[in-house]
Amino acid sequence: MMLEVRSKDAVADGVVSLTLSRPDGGRLPDWTPGSHIDLILPDGTTRQYSLCGDRWDAHSYRIAVLREPAGRGGSAYVHDRLALGSPVGAGAPRNNFPLVPAERYLFIAGGIGITPLLPMIRQAELMRVEWQLLYGGRTRASMAFRDEMSGAYGDRVRLVPQDECGLLDLATWLAEPASGTKVYCCGPPPLLNAVEQACTAWPPHCLRTERFAAAKQTEPVRSTPFEVELRRTGSTVTVEPGVSVLHAVRRAGVDLLSSCEQGTCGTCLTPVLEGVPDHRDALLAEHERAANDCMFPCVSRSCGDRIVLDI
């Protein structure tokens, strides 16, 4: 769908917020807390951004974009070239980080990781469920929406600028499993890794995370070629070491939709009919990986000589 930029505001050092609407003012697809969209920039670049506005506003989406000097150019384009009225393409909202029912929530954000948590907090408020937010950033000025959150929710929001307070005290906040509590965390890899480590004593499925960047990869299970059968097309593709399943399938003439190609966005999720995937994404939970019924061919591979995909 085609959208246009209706507003562009600086919300922190290095962070701009965009409000996007249809040119005709028409209704946009509904979404749920934790959703993101693919934003297709005028130069053809596609990037994923969490929706962080009011989910009950049917006519606009809000996203926030951190300028990443070491990035691939998408954030620089948004900051430097997008203006009011600029056209952008967008995919339908997609949710790999849904808010599930719980007696209470602990939300943990690092930097721009605050964005998917904002609508979750509003949803918890609507449901009158107890919650707290632990929000860390490099400096107070770098923390997007800090005033919006602390002004609206008071002491339920704990702001922890690193230059003033040091790192988040995860050992204290996560020391003991809290009955009925779900922990939602989004932020840079060091924070996610630290939270996962701090939650090892918690019951399964209490922690839910979303990664904006791919996790550091270990070596694949196998270093030799394997075959991928494409059940719908009736063809078989050989995947060589160093070549992704996604690229091998495309070379065979199958236009499998993808976006990030890092195992973080969920666009290329593909059903597995036979075989055992070597899961290398940052999305599937452990019980989902154990089911071996789907994989992300942009990064995941096969554990055996052959795997059959429903494409």
Side-chain angles (χ1 to χ4, degrees), residues 8-304:
K8 181 178 181 179
D9 303 291
V11 292
D13 288 351
V15 181
V16 294
S17 172
L18 302 180
T19 300
L20 308 170
S21 301
R22 283 177 44 173
D24 63 1
R27 184 183 180 91
L28 295 170
D30 294 336
W31 57 281
T32 53
S35 295
H36 67 272
I37 59 171
D38 290 334
L39 191 70
I40 306 166
L41 300 173
D43 66 352
T45 300
T46 300
R47 295 290 183 269
Q48 299 77 43
Y49 297 107
S50 295
L51 292 171
C52 60
D54 179 3
R55 63 173 295 214
W56 305 110
D57 178 356
H59 299 90
S60 67
Y61 290 155
R62 182 176 73 165
I63 62 173
V65 181
L66 170 68
R67 180 189 286 275
E68 299 184 77
R72 296 177 291 162
S75 66
Y77 192 104
V78 171
H79 277 254
D80 298 337
R81 300 179 63 180
L82 280 190
L84 297 184
S86 292
V88 293
R94 190 168 60 249
N95 198 340
N96 301 315
F97 191 41
L99 185 70
V100 300
E103 296 177 20
R104 63 188 61 83
Y105 298 101
L106 174 59
F107 299 108
I108 303 176
I112 199 62
I114 187 64
T115 51
L117 303 184
L118 295 180
M120 293 187 183
I121 289 170
R122 297 189 189 96
Q123 185 70 18
E125 279 287 285
L126 287 174
M127 297 187 299
R128 299 183 178 181
V129 176
E130 180 183 341
W131 63 270
Q132 288 183 292
L133 169 66
L134 185 61
Y135 180 13
R138 292 180 292 101
T139 66
R140 191 175 297 271
S142 72
M143 299 169 69
F145 308 112
R146 63 188 183 281
D147 294 335
E148 175 181 321
M149 297 303 296
S150 58
Y153 302 119
D155 60 6
R156 282 181 291 176
V157 176
R158 181 70 61 87
L159 299 180
V160 187
Q162 185 176 345
D163 63 337
E164 300 176 24
C165 310
L167 297 174
L168 299 176
D169 186 6
L170 300 176
T172 297
W173 283 81
L174 300 170
E176 297 292 336
S179 177
T181 298
K182 298 287 188 186
V183 180
Y184 276 77
C185 180
C186 185
L191 172 63
L192 296 175
N193 296 339
V195 170
E196 289 172 349
Q197 181 63 35
C199 286
T200 53
W202 286 57
H205 315 315
C206 284
L207 171 63
R208 292 173 178 257
T209 62
E210 181 170 59
R211 293 180 180 267
F212 288 148
K216 185 177 180 180
Q217 293 286 6
T218 58
E219 290 298 314
V221 168
R222 60 183 296 135
S223 58
T224 54
F226 57 91
E227 290 188 342
V228 177
E229 178 186 334
L230 312 180
R231 179 61 55 86
R232 294 190 194 181
T233 64
S235 59
T236 298
V237 177
T238 298
V239 181
E240 300 288 343
V243 177
S244 71
V245 174
L246 174 68
H247 289 167
V249 167
R250 284 179 169 173
R251 288 176 184 175
V254 178
D255 188 16
L256 183 60
L257 185 65
S258 68
S259 181
C260 73
E261 299 191 13
Q262 296 180 344
T264 61
C265 75
T267 302
C268 66
L269 181 65
T270 301
V272 174
L273 302 178
E274 297 177 28
V276 178
D278 175 12
H279 294 292
R280 303 173 62 75
D281 62 273
L283 291 166
L284 295 178
E286 287 305 315
H287 68 284
E288 294 171 318
R289 294 184 175 209
N292 290 324
D293 58 3
C294 64
M295 64 181 279
F296 295 95
C298 65
V299 291
S300 296
R301 305 183 68 78
S302 176
C303 292

